Amino acid sequence: MRPRLLFSAAVVVAGLAAFHTQAVGAGHEAIPAVADSARAPGAVTVVYYFHGNVRCATCKKIEAYADEAVHEEFGKALEDGSLQWQVVNVDEPENRHFVQDFQLVTKSVVLVEYRDGKVVRFKNLDQVWQLVRDKERFVTYVQDATREFLAAG
């Protein structure tokens, strides 16, 4: 059974619209970057795992598999700071903005490109829930999506 943790009714409505890669253009307020801009001025990509206070076994597995996928394939980029892995609890008051910023409706893995501390684009890896029961396919999906996202930047 797939758990469905809805963060807010407004986000549910927004989340019904299918999206893959979103661009932030002129007129959009920049989302504060969690990325360390001093270490990587200019462009940096963050792989986020967003969760809430309530964490089931499947949610923890998604985090573990995504962490493994990123660290296994992108060690050099993580080391030089051009790619970062962040685990964020959106139930913490200072992180609630991410729900609206990235149209989150459940625990999610999201790729975000920042340039000079501002969001340029993002992609929600919306297949993680379907693939969590197959670790190999899950890891391949996260690695392929991350590789494609980095190449498009």
Side-chain angles (χ1 to χ4, degrees):
M1 177 192 285
R2 179 179 168 202
R4 293 178 184 225
L5 173 63
L6 301 178
F7 293 108
S8 76
V11 174
V12 173
V13 174
L16 293 176
F19 74 95
H20 293 283
T21 301
Q22 302 291 326
V24 177
H28 286 84
E29 191 172 318
I31 300 166
V34 172
D36 180 359
S37 60
R39 204 172 52 183
V44 64
T45 297
V46 180
V47 182
Y48 286 106
Y49 173 66
F50 293 110
H51 66 85
N53 289 334
V54 177
R55 304 186 72 198
C56 67
T58 303
C59 300
K60 291 176 183 178
K61 191 180 286 188
I62 289 172
E63 178 184 345
Y65 288 177
D67 181 285
E68 180 179 323
V70 170
H71 284 86
E72 180 181 278
E73 185 70 16
F74 303 101
K76 183 176 179 183
L78 290 164
E79 188 176 301
D80 71 21
S82 62
L83 182 70
Q84 296 181 14
W85 166 254
Q86 298 281 333
V87 177
V88 178
N89 181 345
V90 295
D91 286 338
E92 298 293 327
E94 66 273 16
N95 296 329
R96 288 186 182 142
H97 66 92
F98 286 113
V99 174
Q100 183 175 357
D101 296 343
F102 300 127
Q103 304 168 4
L104 305 175
V105 294
T106 190
K107 282 96 175 184
S108 303
V109 177
V110 179
L111 306 171
V112 182
E113 179 184 358
Y114 292 95
R115 289 200 187 269
D116 300 318
K118 296 180 182 174
V119 172
V120 176
R121 63 194 174 101
F122 68 94
K123 178 177 182 168
N124 188 325
L125 302 187
D126 56 4
Q127 296 299 307
V128 296
W129 283 98
Q130 289 80 10
L131 297 174
V132 72
R133 287 176 175 67
D134 185 337
K135 181 180 178 182
E136 185 177 327
R137 286 182 60 210
F138 182 104
V139 168
T140 298
Y141 168 68
V142 171
Q143 290 173 341
D144 288 350
T146 303
R147 198 175 298 107
E148 290 170 17
F149 191 84
L150 292 169

